[in-house]
Amino acid sequence: MITSTRRVSPDKSEVRIAFSLDDTSDVKDVEDLSQTFPDLEQRLQPVPPCVSLRESVQVYKEHCRMAREFHQVKHEIAVLEDRKRKLLAELVEDEKVAIEIARLEEEFRRLTEENRNLVIVHNERAQQLERLCLPNRTRQDSS
């Protein structure tokens, strides 16, 4: 506590002014916030305040709050970028699966068409065989 006593004029009483550099309410908070922020460049680190100036303490507190917010946003960006990488990997995998599905669908269509053609040929040959065997049966039946 610093005090000063002055007499402005001989006929006036003394004027006493007192102030303290030990205003602990803001200083305690500043001590709690005196930290470094590894995510910030050195030039952006909060500068410890002049504890005798309340405005300096407030600016320091605000700077620390913004540094914490910056750290949180940077962390969220990292999480989102990781999620983006995972989604892109899934997309590439899904595209590979889609290509494989398209290839299998085409193969299925081709094999279905080939099967249909083979069934037609089989039926034609079966009918042809039946026609060829029919005259032989009639001969065997008549003998």
Side-chain angles (χ1 to χ4, degrees):
M1 174 80 87
I2 298 174
T3 58
S4 176
T5 307
R6 298 275 174 147
R7 194 177 290 272
V8 178
S9 63
D11 59 325
K12 301 276 185 170
S13 61
E14 290 182 344
V15 175
R16 187 173 193 176
I17 299 173
F19 63 93
S20 172
L21 296 177
D22 299 328
D23 184 9
T24 58
S25 64
D26 286 339
V27 175
K28 285 182 183 174
D29 291 342
V30 170
E31 288 171 1
D32 294 341
L33 295 175
S34 62
Q35 54 187 324
T36 58
F37 298 90
D39 292 347
L40 289 179
E41 297 173 25
Q42 183 60 36
R43 65 186 181 85
L44 298 176
Q45 292 288 330
V47 176
C50 177
V51 293
S52 63
L53 297 173
R54 186 165 289 185
E55 184 177 293
S56 176
V57 172
Q58 289 305 109
V59 168
Y60 177 76
K61 287 180 182 180
E62 182 66 14
H63 193 171
C64 289
R65 184 193 63 74
M66 289 189 301
R68 283 190 302 276
E69 188 176 303
F70 173 79
H71 174 74
Q72 181 181 357
V73 168
K74 193 171 181 180
H75 175 73
E76 289 173 7
I77 288 171
V79 168
L80 291 173
E81 285 176 342
D82 186 50
R83 177 76 176 131
K84 177 184 171 183
R85 267 191 303 281
K86 288 177 182 175
L87 288 173
L88 286 173
E90 284 181 31
L91 181 63
V92 167
E93 189 61 33
D94 288 349
E95 287 172 349
K96 288 178 184 177
V97 168
I99 290 169
E100 180 66 10
I101 288 172
R103 186 191 67 75
L104 290 172
E105 286 174 340
E106 177 59 28
E107 183 179 355
F108 178 77
R109 187 197 60 70
R110 186 182 52 77
L111 290 173
T112 302
E113 180 67 22
E114 184 179 338
N115 186 40
R116 190 171 54 79
N117 290 335
L118 288 173
V119 167
I120 291 170
V121 169
H122 173 73
N123 289 338
E124 289 173 353
R125 296 301 173 257
Q127 289 174 357
Q128 195 176 32
L129 181 62
E130 195 174 307
R131 281 190 301 246
L132 290 173
C133 289
L134 188 59
N136 287 341
R137 276 191 220 151
T138 54
R139 277 189 235 152
Q140 286 174 358
D141 289 342
S142 52
S143 36

